[in-house]
């Protein structure tokens, strides 16, 4: 992945594309853009199905292009943007086209494996790539890294944990880093017993105690699969083996992650749990720009607490670590099976505890192989989804 000097980081306005502008991260990014509109020139905005919000954002930010992922909604978006000069398109290929347009900076915030092809398109043309989509690295880590290096792209992690590590990681002396410590809130069921977990409803699972997030990532936080995916992602971003990445429960979500060094020093980044802080860091990088997040008041907070994760209560962490250590197709299988299982849980097909059972079944039974190209990734992803669906029917 390229160094900063390959990009012109000084000119204003900075040209911006948001892949997934109507989701939680996308809306937070739009909020920052509208606070300083003269500093940004919006090239493209995309969404999957929320025509009304996408059209509103495109008009407000004067985007050059708006793309809706669902081809059936092309007419609705065209009508919503009638009378403007905003180009309108729809479908998967149009999402890739939007990512390939010549913006300086791209927010990759399409949820799930659907974001892989558009994000790769931005990487291939050497964009400054703010990644909020974990699945790109989890599903296709080696392929994605190779494409970024080939295209001269720069990766800026947006997840609060990886963004925190990025801020305190000594890239000039990476050999001095002893280990990475990812913090986790523990989600809404940190202290729940097995009986309670067996009866968890979708409404309970998406009610995160600290963060405002979409349904899928909220469920991942509740199972702690989210932290497992972040462990895999951290390994690829910071070139760190699994055994040197730890997970630490921190219910207050104030210390967003830490880097431990060989001299015994531990550096951490702190802040209130507001995604606009890491997004602002990525949006302004290498400078810092103002963000409207509430300011941290440690005296008012009083105390910060930490504990080791309970791997019996949250087996998803173990599955993710094992997938990372296995390598090859295992992380792709893990992610695809989890996406299918979470969707099944949210639609009432399976129980909360069945989510991990589905993932484990796919990891045990699906074949594994080398991942050398995007086609390999897509083939394994499809096979994992088919296996997960079949197992769900058996439950």
């Amino acid at each position: 992945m390229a160094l900063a000097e390959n990009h012109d980081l000084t000119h204003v306005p900075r040209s911006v594309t948001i892949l997934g502008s109507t989701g939680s991260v996308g809306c937070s990014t739009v909020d920052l853009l509208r606070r300083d509109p003269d500093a940004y020139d919006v090239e493209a905005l995309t969404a999957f199905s929320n025509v009304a919000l996408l059209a509103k954002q495109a008009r407000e930010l004067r985007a050059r292009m708006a793309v809706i992922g669902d081809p059936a909604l092309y007419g609705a978006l065209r009508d919503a943007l009638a009378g403007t000069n905003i180009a309108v398109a729809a479908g998967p290929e149009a999402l890739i086209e939007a990512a390939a347009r010549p913006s300086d900076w791209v927010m990759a915030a399409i949820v799930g494996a659907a974001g892989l092809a558009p994000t790769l398109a931005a990487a291939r043309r050497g964009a400054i790539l703010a990644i909020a989509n974990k699945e790109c690295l989890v599903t296709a880590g080696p392929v994605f890294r190779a494409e970024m290096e080939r295209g001269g792209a720069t990766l800026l992690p947006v997840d609060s944990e990886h963004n925190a590590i990025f801020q305190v990681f000594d890239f000039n002396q990476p050999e001095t880093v002893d280990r990475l410590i990812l913090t986790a809130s523990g989600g809404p069921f940190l202290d729940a017993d097995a009986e309670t977990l067996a009866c968890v409803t979708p409404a309970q699972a998406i009610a995160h105690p600290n963060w405002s997030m979409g349904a899928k990532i909220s469920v991942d936080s509740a199972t702690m699969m989210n932290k497992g995916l972040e462990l895999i992602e951290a390994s690829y971003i910071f070139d760190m083996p699994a055994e040197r990445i730890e997970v630490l429960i921190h219910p207050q979500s104030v210390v967003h992650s830490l880097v431990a060094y060989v001299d015994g020093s531990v550096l951490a980044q702190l802040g209130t749990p507001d995604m606009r802080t890491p997004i602002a860091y990525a949006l302004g990088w290498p400078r810092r720009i103002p963000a409207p997040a509430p300011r941290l008041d440690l005296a008012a907070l009083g105390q910060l607490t930490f504990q080791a994760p309970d791997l019996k209560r949250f087996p998803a962490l173990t599955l993710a670590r094992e997938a990372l250590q296995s390598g090859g197709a295992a992380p792709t299988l893990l992610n695809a099976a989890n996406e299918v299982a979470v969707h099944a849980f949210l639609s009432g097909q399976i129980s909360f505890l069945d989510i991990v059972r589905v993932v484990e079944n796919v990891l045990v039974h699906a074949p594994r192989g080398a991942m050398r190209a995007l086609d390999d990734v897509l083939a394994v992803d499809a096979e994992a989804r088919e296996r997960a669906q079949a197992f769900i029917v058996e439950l």
Side-chain angles (χ1 to χ4, degrees):
M1 289 172 278
L3 298 176
E5 53 262 28
N6 288 345
H7 300 280
D8 180 1
L9 303 170
T10 60
H11 75 278
V12 175
R14 171 171 280 185
S15 179
V16 169
T17 289
I18 306 176
L19 305 175
S21 67
T22 62
S24 177
V25 169
C27 285
S28 292
T29 308
V30 168
D31 180 62
L32 292 170
L33 296 181
R34 67 162 62 98
R35 291 170 186 273
D36 190 7
D38 293 338
Y40 306 102
D41 183 10
V42 178
E43 182 68 31
L45 301 175
T46 82
F48 178 69
S49 61
N50 195 336
V51 169
L53 183 53
L54 176 62
K56 179 178 182 293
Q57 292 173 337
R59 285 177 178 270
E60 181 181 7
L61 298 176
R62 301 186 298 277
R64 290 191 176 89
M65 183 181 198
V67 175
I68 196 77
D70 185 346
L73 297 175
Y74 171 77
L77 182 61
R78 179 198 58 208
D79 293 345
L81 291 174
T84 71
N85 292 321
I86 300 169
V88 174
E93 291 301 318
L95 293 175
I96 295 171
E97 178 191 347
R101 289 173 73 98
S103 59
D104 306 320
W105 187 94
V106 176
M107 168 60 77
I110 297 176
V111 175
L116 180 57
T119 307
L120 277 171
R124 290 186 182 114
R125 66 173 179 82
I128 299 173
L129 192 53
I131 281 227
N133 175 314
K134 329 182 146 46
E135 290 81 7
C136 286
L137 283 164
V138 172
T139 300
V143 174
F144 189 76
R145 281 177 59 107
E147 292 288 359
M148 289 201 71
E149 289 168 4
R150 190 175 298 117
T154 295
L155 186 150
L156 301 176
V158 172
D159 266 349
S160 61
E161 296 82 1
H162 301 107
N163 187 270
I165 291 171
F166 189 90
Q167 292 192 45
V168 297
F169 191 99
D170 190 345
F171 289 96
N172 293 320
Q173 302 180 85
E175 72 281 1
T176 66
V177 175
D178 180 57
R179 67 191 190 283
L180 309 180
I181 305 168
L182 295 168
T183 56
S185 70
F189 311 123
L190 177 58
D191 299 313
D193 57 26
E195 184 177 352
T196 300
L197 292 175
C199 300
V200 165
T201 67
Q204 292 171 325
I206 64 176
H208 195 281
N210 299 335
W211 296 94
S212 176
M213 305 182 294
K216 194 268 181 182
I217 192 172
S218 295
V219 174
D220 283 347
S221 180
T223 63
M224 287 198 69
M225 180 63 81
N226 186 49
K227 205 55 50 179
L229 298 177
E230 287 176 6
L231 187 152
I232 296 170
E233 189 180 11
S235 178
Y236 288 125
I237 294 173
F238 302 105
D239 197 22
M240 193 69 61
E243 59 270 19
R244 289 171 58 193
I245 307 174
E246 299 177 5
V247 172
L248 185 65
I249 301 293
H250 170 50
Q252 294 83 14
S253 297
V254 168
V255 178
H256 296 304
S257 277
L258 312 93
V259 177
Y261 288 89
V262 293
D263 62 359
S265 299
V266 179
L267 304 186
Q269 185 266 339
L270 285 70
T272 53
D274 189 317
M275 278 304 297
R276 289 175 297 182
T277 297
I279 294 170
Y281 181 85
L283 184 60
W285 182 85
R287 302 181 180 89
R288 289 185 185 269
I289 62 174
R295 280 5 188 194
L296 181 62
D297 187 339
L298 289 173
L301 190 62
Q303 65 176 352
L304 303 175
T305 60
F306 304 90
Q307 66 190 72
D310 184 337
L311 298 181
K312 291 183 179 179
R313 184 180 287 127
F314 300 109
L317 275 175
T318 300
L319 288 180
R321 188 177 291 276
E322 290 175 348
L324 175 59
Q325 291 171 327
S326 296
T332 310
L333 298 169
L334 176 90
N335 178 75
N338 181 65
E339 283 192 19
V340 171
V342 170
H343 177 76
F345 167 68
L346 288 171
S347 60
Q349 296 176 261
I350 63 175
S351 73
F352 181 75
L353 293 179
D354 284 336
I355 295 173
V356 171
R357 295 189 184 111
V358 171
V359 176
E360 186 172 25
N361 178 272
V362 170
L363 284 171
V364 168
H365 292 97
R368 302 177 183 182
M371 309 291 279
R372 297 187 179 88
L374 180 57
D375 286 346
D376 297 330
V377 174
L378 296 177
V380 170
D381 181 89
E383 184 174 357
R385 290 172 191 275
E386 183 178 347
R387 175 74 197 187
Q389 291 284 13
F391 185 68
I392 287 168
V393 172
E394 297 172 5
L395 287 173

